[in-house]
Amino acid sequence: SNEALPESIPSAPGTLPHFMEEPDDAYIIKSNPIVLRCKAMPAMQIFFKCNGEWVHQNEHVSEESMDETTGLKVREVFINVTRQQVEDFHGPEDYWCQCVAWSHLGTSKSRKASVRIAYLRKNFEQDPQGKEVPIEGMIVLHCRPPEGVPAAEVEWLKNEEPIDSNLDENIDTRADHNLIIRQARLSDSGNYTCMAANIVAKRRSMSATVVVYVNGGWSSWTEWSNCNARCGRGWQKRSRTCTNPAPLNGGAFCEGMSVQKITCTSLCPVDGNWEVWSEWSVCSPECEHLRVRECIAPPPRNGGKYCEGLSQESENCTEGLCIQDKKPLHEIKSQNIETASDIALYSGLGAAVIAVAVLVVAVTLYRRSQSEYGVDVIDSSALTGGFQTFNFKTVRQGNSLLLNSSMQPDLTVSRTYSGPICLQDPMDKELMTESSLFNPLSDIKVKVQSSFMVSLGVTERAEYHGKAHSGTFPHGNNRAFGTIQARNKATYIQNLSSISTTSELKTTAIFGHLGGRLVVPNTGVSLLIPHGAIPEECSWEIYLAITQKESSLQPEGTDVLLGPEVTCGPSDLSVSTPFALTIPHCAEVNSEHWNIHLKKRTQQGKWEEVMSVEEETTSCYCLLDPYACHILLNSFGTYALIGEPISDCAVRQLKVAVFGCLSCNSLDYNLRVYCMDNTPCAFQEVVSDEKLQGGQLLEEPKLLHFKGNTFSLQISVLDIPPFLWRIKPFTACQEVPFSRVWCSSQKPLHCAFSLERYTPATTQLSCKICVRQVKGHEQILQIQTSILENERETITFFAHEDSNYPAQMGPKAFKIPYSIRQRICATFDTPNAKGKDWQMLAQKNSINRNLSYFATQSSPSAVILDLWEARHQHDGDLDSLACALEEIGRTHSKISDITETEIEEPDFNYSRQNGL
């Protein structure tokens, strides 16, 4: 390619070459070479020059012709460029080629044509993400296509159909490959896919689901109804419905009231009343005079009744002297009056006879109905559930169904009988009338709906039958009327009617200059106040508490609250030396799968991030152990640990525990399976709740590794003895969605199973509880227990020594004696040329991160030892500390000599036993 070209080439005189066709930019697809062409007139010769070097003459393909119009010579040249040539070129710019044409007057150069290898990578730089948007909201789906040469063109698909923005003005796909829907419509819901293509290949992104939802809207109010009271104060209402529009696609239901009520006042009806009669009129020619009255005292108002009776009255005014129809007028009047009086008399007598007959029949029927029942229920408080007191009044003597037929009736005195009424759940009782609850017939039926069936959404009700026994109620050994269980009555009363609230998880103590330790028993939460953190001659009352109500910290997305929300205070105090706060957590520690943050609640109630566990900072320090986080802080407040999963392999450790107890139906046995955070305080809460319900731990709890891979949790009961126990069909397995387990916010997951014995003689239960995550970890708990409390083997709950000593003040709170601690600090705080200083002490105690925090402390070694005290509050492993000191190379014998003398002091006797 470096051979010299001919110095003189004959050509037509007087004309420079003119390019009729210049080489174009080209792309090599896969391994196919490309062809560059160049055409000039007049040209005696044309050669290509690539990347500044002449292409060998043999690699040119030349064609020559004559222009018929001008008669000048036209020359066209072709060359091939292969993929290997382009790959072998390493220069500051792309591979390029240019053609040079010669004529008699000189040369002409064409444009540079670049040659590039075409490709399109597989993965999109940004896939579109699914969205839920309200109707008429804006939808923006971002898409960054894979890197490629030439740059990929982007096309959008909706439900596998291409989107043409030219046909829909509401859609714009021109803005940097993004899809913009200006005003979302219901028809815009669907699956959207971004397609990227160039001359090499096509690529398809992940589909993004867009849901356009409609929030519900209220319809117009109806007219106000009429006042419900005909007289006086009442109310009237109006209503509206959430149908304008109705919520669609998960939209929010309307906020506010669907019914409004206001008070109203109706005018009461006033019945009319007669005024007094007027004076008699003048005697008329017919021998009569009149008097009148009006219904105006008061007149009828507001629909009241009109006055009854005559508005005018007449009578003879001549005392019978005036004759009409040849009879004295008063005789005619008296006959009419007597006839009317007889009719009224007979009508009244007939009505009285009928009323008496009806009353006699009613009394007879009532007495017969009372003779069939020996008990009147005076107090119906039994319908409210639980254990109530009922009052019964004895009735007629001689009835065999009375509570005690030999007793003489006393109709003026009520007798009170107390007995437990056992129902499955006060919330699930079916309303029972007094007659159905205390019907003294020989066969009764009571329907009870179990709370377990309610939790499964099953609406069928189980029926329990009982047989009444003769004798005085409520005494007897059997369950009278199918609802009363006398056996273990005291136990039921204690478990159901005398439930006491759990104690507050809070510890308080007064600390001085010597420091101490504060522990919330059986929760794993503790606070270590170092020696010297509190000024001399000062005493502070310090408290440590766990928030029992639902935490105000609501994690976002898939973030998880890993432990309890802990408060230490008072918040206005500040210490001179960092104190150590220990908070248990339920994460499987792995920095590749978790990003764990420490958050603090401000005085305004908001949560702010203090630091990330892996962060380098000098404000505080976090040391993450497998089951607890030890935090060095200078200010009191409310703190919590938040875990952000950064991969599907992030594991949340759950403790699985099974509790059991007899239900009020003696044939039933309830199994309750809990999945809670693997923290002592979460387990303590479940244990306390179960003790109140009479539950018993049936098997040692096991650890389940629950991954953040969106797969659900399955809990099932297996291997139930077929001829001894049974469980309702389709209830032996329960599945819990992933979000319910992963985002439970400290509340333990609880699933209940109800087993039924075939006979009361069965007292042993053997089965398996399988708890597994789909495509994940599985744990099987083998249940082998007696359902009778006096025969059941008790499984001991955990209990640390801190349950007996929630607060320790002074030297006894620390494992390392103070004098030995001072010697260690004096030795390691001093810089050493051999590197045997506090950094080596930190390394030997597995503290390898964020050492700059300790460098800012007045005594780094003292803070390291405080951290050691917090980590070893239960084991007090002084041997490991002594070995660490020996490995560093310090003279352990001097320390041992000091301990020989100082351990003799009473406060430090326990240290000798621990090996330091």
Side-chain angles (χ1 to χ4, degrees):
S1 60
N2 293 325
E3 292 182 1
L5 295 173
E7 295 181 0
S8 63
I9 300 176
S11 64
T15 305
L16 280 173
H18 167 69
F19 286 100
M20 302 173 65
E21 183 177 350
E22 295 184 86
D24 294 324
D25 294 337
Y27 297 95
I28 295 178
I29 302 173
K30 298 183 180 179
S31 298
N32 300 323
I34 55 99
V35 178
L36 297 179
R37 65 180 66 239
C38 188
K39 189 176 184 181
M41 177 185 72
M44 296 296 100
Q45 192 61 270
I46 300 177
F47 286 97
F48 273 91
K49 195 175 189 180
C50 293
N51 304 317
E53 297 182 355
W54 294 103
V55 178
H56 196 279
Q57 186 175 359
N58 295 337
E59 297 180 11
H60 292 71
V61 177
S62 179
E63 294 181 359
E64 190 176 294
S65 62
M66 187 72 68
D67 187 272
E68 297 179 353
T69 305
T70 61
L72 298 177
K73 185 179 292 185
V74 178
R75 182 173 294 276
E76 186 174 7
V77 177
F78 309 88
I79 65 169
N80 290 335
V81 179
T82 65
R83 183 186 184 98
Q84 189 65 39
Q85 289 176 303
V86 177
E87 290 179 344
D88 291 343
F89 172 69
H90 302 284
E93 54 186 354
D94 293 334
Y95 189 99
W96 59 270
C97 290
Q98 182 184 42
C99 58
V100 183
W102 280 265
S103 71
H104 180 71
L105 291 182
T107 61
S108 295
K109 295 181 179 180
S110 71
R111 66 179 292 275
K112 288 183 178 180
S114 63
V115 180
R116 305 175 68 185
I117 298 174
Y119 67 92
L120 184 62
R121 300 196 184 280
K122 292 184 178 181
N123 296 325
F124 278 71
E125 294 184 4
Q126 182 178 6
D127 285 304
Q129 301 295 320
K131 293 180 179 294
E132 293 184 359
V133 295
I135 195 167
E136 297 184 356
M138 177 178 285
I139 302 174
V140 179
L141 298 180
H142 298 280
C143 176
R144 292 176 60 189
E147 179 186 352
V149 174
E153 297 291 332
V154 171
E155 178 186 21
W156 284 90
L157 303 179
K158 176 191 174 185
N159 298 330
E160 306 303 327
E161 294 293 333
I163 297 176
D164 189 353
S165 59
N166 296 324
L167 301 179
D168 192 344
E169 296 180 353
N170 194 38
I171 298 178
D172 185 5
T173 58
R174 297 170 296 176
D176 195 21
H177 308 306
N178 298 329
L179 173 66
I180 300 175
I181 302 178
R182 297 182 180 89
Q183 288 187 326
R185 303 154 296 193
L186 287 176
S187 58
D188 292 326
S189 298
N191 295 320
Y192 289 82
T193 309
C194 182
M195 295 288 295
N198 65 2
I199 59 177
V200 180
K202 287 186 178 181
R203 300 286 185 253
R204 180 188 180 97
S205 73
M206 300 289 291
S207 293
T209 301
V210 173
V211 177
V212 180
Y213 61 86
V214 179
N215 291 325
W218 290 112
S219 64
S220 300
W221 288 102
T222 60
E223 296 294 331
W224 288 104
S225 64
N226 296 327
C227 194
N228 71 322
R230 294 186 58 191
C231 173
R233 190 178 182 87
W235 54 264
Q236 56 186 150
K237 67 178 181 179
R238 64 176 182 174
S239 61
R240 57 181 178 174
T241 58
C242 190
T243 56
N244 186 31
L248 291 175
N249 297 336
F253 197 78
C254 304
E255 294 184 358
M257 297 182 298
S258 61
V259 177
Q260 275 187 347
K261 290 184 178 182
I262 59 173
T263 58
C264 57
T265 303
S266 297
L267 297 176
C268 295
V270 178
D271 295 337
N273 196 18
W274 295 111
E275 64 174 348
V276 297
W277 290 101
S278 66
E279 297 294 333
W280 289 103
S281 65
V282 179
C283 195
S284 67
E286 288 80 15
C287 306
E288 288 183 331
H289 60 174
L290 302 175
R291 64 176 181 177
V292 296
R293 58 180 179 178
E294 294 185 7
C295 188
I296 58 172
R301 295 193 305 270
N302 307 326
K305 296 180 180 179
Y306 195 78
C307 302
E308 295 182 357
L310 299 176
S311 62
Q312 68 178 14
E313 197 175 61
S314 64
E315 66 177 18
N316 188 276
C317 57
T318 62
E319 296 181 356
L321 299 179
C322 187
I323 302 299
Q324 180 182 356
D325 296 334
K326 299 180 181 180
K327 288 184 179 180
L329 184 61
H330 68 278
E331 293 182 6
I332 299 174
K333 294 291 183 180
S334 62
Q335 292 176 2
N336 294 336
I337 292 173
E338 290 176 0
T339 303
S341 300
D342 293 342
I343 294 174
L345 177 61
Y346 293 135
S347 299
L349 290 175
V353 170
I354 294 174
V356 171
V358 171
L359 181 61
V360 170
V361 172
V363 171
T364 303
L365 293 177
Y366 175 77
R367 294 173 65 88
R368 287 184 179 179
S369 63
Q370 291 301 307
S371 66
E372 297 177 2
Y373 300 92
V375 176
D376 287 345
V377 178
I378 305 302
D379 186 355
S380 62
S381 61
L383 302 181
T384 62
F387 294 87
Q388 305 289 347
T389 299
F390 302 95
N391 297 331
F392 303 91
K393 183 178 292 185
T394 57
V395 292
R396 293 175 306 278
Q397 182 180 5
N399 192 338
S400 60
L401 296 177
L402 293 178
L403 297 180
N404 193 338
S405 59
S406 62
M407 297 175 58
Q408 293 297 324
D410 186 352
L411 302 181
T412 63
V413 180
S414 296
R415 290 182 171 83
T416 301
Y417 297 89
S418 299
I421 302 299
C422 183
L423 295 168
Q424 287 290 105
D425 194 332
M427 297 296 295
D428 300 324
K429 295 192 302 291
E430 182 180 271
L431 184 62
M432 294 178 291
T433 62
E434 297 172 354
S435 61
S436 66
L437 183 62
F438 294 105
N439 190 345
L441 299 179
S442 59
D443 213 352
I444 63 99
K445 178 190 296 183
V446 175
K447 292 185 178 180
V448 179
Q449 184 173 357
S450 70
S451 58
F452 166 69
M453 296 179 66
V454 173
S455 67
L456 296 178
V458 180
T459 59
E460 297 178 357
R461 296 174 181 268
E463 295 186 357
Y464 300 93
H465 299 269
K467 195 78 175 178
H469 295 268
S470 60
T472 303
F473 180 82
H475 304 290
N477 295 326
N478 296 317
R479 291 183 299 133
F481 311 121
T483 60
I484 296 177
Q485 184 174 356
R487 188 171 61 89
N488 294 333
K489 178 167 65 177
T491 304
Y492 280 103
I493 293 176
Q494 179 182 359
N495 289 340
L496 296 179
S497 67
S498 302
I499 296 177
S500 61
T501 58
T502 58
S503 60
E504 185 180 11
L505 296 180
K506 183 177 180 180
T507 305
T508 305
I510 297 177
F511 294 92
H513 183 68
L514 297 179
R517 191 189 304 269
L518 203 57
V519 176
V520 181
N522 291 332
T523 63
V525 177
S526 64
L527 179 68
L528 182 75
I529 307 296
H531 184 284
I534 300 176
E536 292 189 33
E537 300 181 357
C538 288
S539 295
W540 292 350
E541 184 178 12
I542 297 177
Y543 64 85
L544 181 65
I546 298 175
T547 302
Q548 290 180 275
K549 60 184 180 181
E550 187 171 354
S551 174
S552 60
L553 177 56
Q554 299 298 327
E556 300 177 356
T558 57
D559 292 357
V560 178
L561 185 61
L562 296 177
E565 179 183 314
V566 178
T567 302
C568 54
S571 58
D572 55 347
L573 299 180
S574 60
V575 294
S576 58
T577 303
F579 62 87
L581 177 64
T582 299
I583 302 178
H585 66 82
C586 62
E588 187 177 69
V589 179
N590 191 324
S591 59
E592 296 181 357
H593 302 152
W594 284 103
N595 187 10
I596 298 177
H597 306 267
L598 176 67
K599 291 196 175 185
K600 180 180 180 181
R601 187 169 62 191
T602 63
Q603 293 182 350
Q604 292 76 23
K606 297 182 179 180
W607 288 88
E608 61 181 15
E609 182 169 333
V610 179
M611 66 172 294
S612 173
V613 172
E614 299 296 327
E615 182 182 349
E616 297 284 336
T617 179
T618 58
S619 61
C620 59
Y621 187 88
C622 287
L623 180 61
L624 203 62
D625 279 346
Y627 299 104
C629 183
H630 309 283
I631 311 163
L632 297 176
L633 299 162
N634 288 90
S635 61
F636 294 104
T638 301
Y639 296 90
L641 290 174
I642 291 292
E644 176 189 359
I646 54 180
S647 75
D648 290 346
C649 296
V651 172
R652 182 177 186 177
Q653 296 180 339
L654 301 179
K655 181 172 290 186
V656 181
V658 181
F659 291 82
C661 70
L662 278 171
S663 66
C664 62
N665 178 6
S666 61
L667 294 179
D668 287 355
Y669 191 75
N670 292 332
L671 291 177
R672 290 185 290 273
V673 183
Y674 291 87
C675 295
M676 71 215 80
D677 288 343
N678 184 33
T679 59
C681 54
F683 184 56
Q684 180 71 13
E685 179 182 355
V686 172
V687 169
S688 300
D689 291 343
E690 279 295 326
K691 283 184 177 179
L692 295 177
Q693 300 180 49
Q696 181 75 25
L697 185 65
L698 303 182
E699 176 64 10
E700 192 73 24
K702 292 190 177 182
L703 198 61
L704 181 74
H705 299 282
F706 191 81
K707 289 186 176 181
N709 54 11
T710 72
F711 288 106
S712 59
L713 184 73
Q714 292 180 346
I715 303 175
S716 54
V717 181
L718 307 175
D719 298 344
I720 301 174
F723 300 108
L724 300 177
W725 293 86
R726 63 183 173 189
I727 189 170
K728 291 183 176 60
F730 311 110
T731 63
C733 181
Q734 301 184 37
E735 186 161 349
V736 184
F738 170 82
S739 58
R740 172 69 178 87
V741 182
W742 191 259
C743 306
S744 61
S745 299
Q746 297 291 120
K747 292 298 181 183
L749 178 67
H750 167 211
C751 290
F753 299 90
S754 180
L755 280 66
E756 183 181 1
R757 295 180 288 172
Y758 283 97
T759 63
T762 302
T763 60
Q764 297 293 324
L765 173 61
S766 173
C767 64
K768 294 179 180 179
I769 304 294
C770 178
V771 182
R772 62 181 292 268
Q773 185 183 17
V774 178
K775 298 184 179 180
H777 190 214
E778 178 184 73
Q779 283 288 12
I780 295 180
L781 289 83
Q782 180 68 50
I783 306 300
Q784 184 73 41
T785 184
S786 171
I787 65 174
L788 300 180
E789 293 188 6
N790 54 356
E791 297 179 3
R792 184 184 299 143
E793 180 182 357
T794 302
I795 298 188
T796 306
F797 300 142
F798 71 95
H800 291 303
E801 294 179 0
D802 56 25
S803 61
N804 297 323
Y805 304 100
Q808 293 178 317
M809 281 74 74
K812 290 187 177 181
F814 303 95
K815 307 298 182 183
I816 306 174
Y818 181 64
S819 58
I820 298 178
R821 174 191 174 94
Q822 283 184 311
R823 178 61 62 88
I824 295 175
C825 293
T827 304
F828 286 98
D829 284 342
T830 305
N832 189 289
K834 297 182 180 180
K836 298 177 181 178
D837 55 7
W838 64 266
Q839 297 187 23
M840 182 67 71
L841 178 64
Q843 181 182 355
K844 292 300 180 181
N845 284 278
S846 302
I847 303 174
N848 303 313
R849 183 188 52 80
N850 195 15
L851 296 182
S852 58
Y853 172 82
F854 300 96
T856 61
Q857 306 297 323
S858 58
S859 175
S861 301
V863 179
I864 293 173
L865 294 179
D866 291 337
L867 194 57
W868 183 92
E869 291 275 3
R871 298 177 70 185
H872 298 85
Q873 61 174 311
H874 296 304
D875 53 41
D877 189 5
L878 295 175
D879 288 338
S880 63
L881 180 60
C883 293
L885 297 177
E886 289 181 358
E887 290 179 7
I888 295 174
R890 294 297 180 182
T891 306
H892 183 59
S893 59
K894 294 182 179 180
I895 301 177
S896 300
D897 293 338
I898 297 174
T899 60
E900 291 293 336
T901 58
E902 297 192 3
I903 288 178
E904 297 298 325
E905 298 176 14
D907 288 342
F908 305 144
N909 285 337
Y910 63 94
S911 297
R912 179 188 296 272
Q913 300 172 2
N914 289 327
L916 187 62

